[in-house]
Structure formats: structure tokens, C-alpha cells
Amino acid sequence: MIVTTRHRMQAREALINWHRKTRPLVPKCGAKTRAGHPCGIIALKNGRCWRHGGRTGKGYNWHRLRWPKDGPAAELKLQRKLAVREKTAKERAARIAAMTPEERERHESWQRTHRSGPPAARAEKRRQREQNADIAAVVAKERLPVPASIELQIEIDALERRLAAVAGANINIFD
Ligand SMILES: [Zn+2]
């Protein structure tokens, strides 16, 4: 097919129409930007854009900080990384210190439910949680005695949550 000027104009018009008519109706990311207003980039399924939580890293140790490999600039890179790490830790600590008790509770519960780790391990945990919830639903419906293993798991979960609370907000992608 030969692309003519007319085709280009049609494509251009379709794009302009989409931006005028459809784009305003599509859900937008509401993350607060450094400029202080909501981000406004088109949101992904989770309600945030690709920049503000739309993507999760891949690979086994995606959540761990990588140290630079040996090379001429390794020392400089390392120092820069350490400086950035320290700066973000300070900013995070200040943000947490400025939170109201409700905000803090919300923050901590998010930290508890969003543990970093390799994708496979997180998927396994998620599967276990779903399975436990299914069993709990059946038990509640049938009024069966709660199996000891589930009771133990609930206790383990509670203990893990307490452990997370003790560790505080130090659970982050650099742990
Ligand atoms: Zn965004």
C-alpha cells in the first residue's frame, strides 16, 4: 500500500480526535508530582501510571541494590549510589516522622502487605494467602472446626506482622 498525504492526514485526525474525545475519559494517575499537582499520565490497571507504581522489577534480586562492577568509574559510582541511598533514607524518615497516626498506620499496613522479594517467592506467598482465605471462607460457611494448621498459619502471619512493625519502615527495596 502506498501511504499518501491523505492517509497521513486521516491518521493525524484520528489521533487528534482520540486526544480530544477519549483521553479525557480515561482514568489518570493521581500520584502527587514534585510540582504539587496530580500526575495525570494515563493510569494502568492498578490506578497508577508506569512511573508511579505501574511497573515492578523482574528477575531474582530486582529489589536489591546492585553494586557497581569493577572498572575505572566504579569507586565514583559506588560513592554516588551510597549518597543517593542515604538521601532517600533521610527523606523517607522525614516523611514518616511528619505523618499523622492514621497515615502512619496506613503506611505500615501497606508495608506489611507489600513485602519486597523475588517474584517467585511473592507469588508463592500470594498463593498461600489466597488458599488460606478460601479455606477460611469454607470453614466460616460450613461452621467447621478450624484446622490446627490454619490456626498456626494465622498466628504465624500475626507474628510476622509484629516483626514487620518492630522492623518499622525500614522494610524497603534496599533491605
Ligand atoms: Zn503517575
Side-chain angles (χ1 to χ4, degrees):
M1 184 184 128
I2 300 158
V3 179
T4 63
T5 310
R6 207 167 70 90
H7 289 128
R8 285 204 188 85
M9 281 173 71
Q10 275 176 350
R12 199 174 119 83
E13 203 178 320
L15 267 176
I16 290 171
N17 267 337
W18 186 86
H19 278 283
R20 264 198 208 129
K21 292 178 187 160
T22 313
R23 195 190 170 99
L25 308 174
V26 172
K28 304 292 182 335
C29 170
K32 199 171 117 189
T33 61
R34 276 183 285 182
H37 52 73
C39 158
I41 296 176
I42 290 169
L44 301 174
K45 266 190 232 156
N46 62 1
R48 292 293 194 209
C49 71
W50 59 272
R51 240 182 219 170
H52 296 117
R55 296 193 296 190
T56 301
K58 289 188 169 64
Y60 184 69
N61 268 339
W62 69 272
H63 62 297
R64 292 190 193 282
L65 198 59
R66 300 278 180 102
W67 302 116
K69 293 197 179 89
D70 274 347
E75 176 65 21
L76 190 68
K77 276 188 192 166
L78 179 65
Q79 293 308 327
R80 214 183 289 147
K81 266 203 162 175
L82 287 173
V84 168
R85 187 190 191 188
E86 201 176 315
K87 182 171 169 262
T88 49
K90 264 188 198 160
E91 285 171 352
R92 187 167 44 242
R95 221 165 39 237
I96 291 165
M99 282 178 184
T100 64
E102 298 85 62
E103 281 171 342
R104 204 181 169 119
E105 175 48 43
R106 209 158 6 119
H107 170 79
E108 278 167 8
S109 78
W110 193 94
Q111 293 285 338
R112 282 195 294 269
T113 50
H114 295 71
R115 306 295 293 271
S116 57
R122 286 186 301 138
E124 173 59 18
K125 278 245 167 192
R126 188 159 55 237
R127 200 188 59 76
Q128 276 176 7
R129 267 202 311 277
E130 284 165 6
Q131 205 175 38
N132 284 347
D134 285 349
I135 293 170
V138 169
V139 165
K141 201 176 157 201
E142 308 283 330
R143 297 208 172 100
L144 294 170
V146 179
S149 63
I150 300 294
E151 268 184 348
L152 265 178
Q153 191 55 51
I154 290 166
E155 229 167 277
I156 289 167
D157 287 347
L159 283 171
E160 273 185 351
R161 276 199 296 280
R162 271 176 61 193
L163 188 67
V166 170
N170 289 331
I171 306 150
N172 59 58
I173 62 163
F174 297 142
D175 67 2

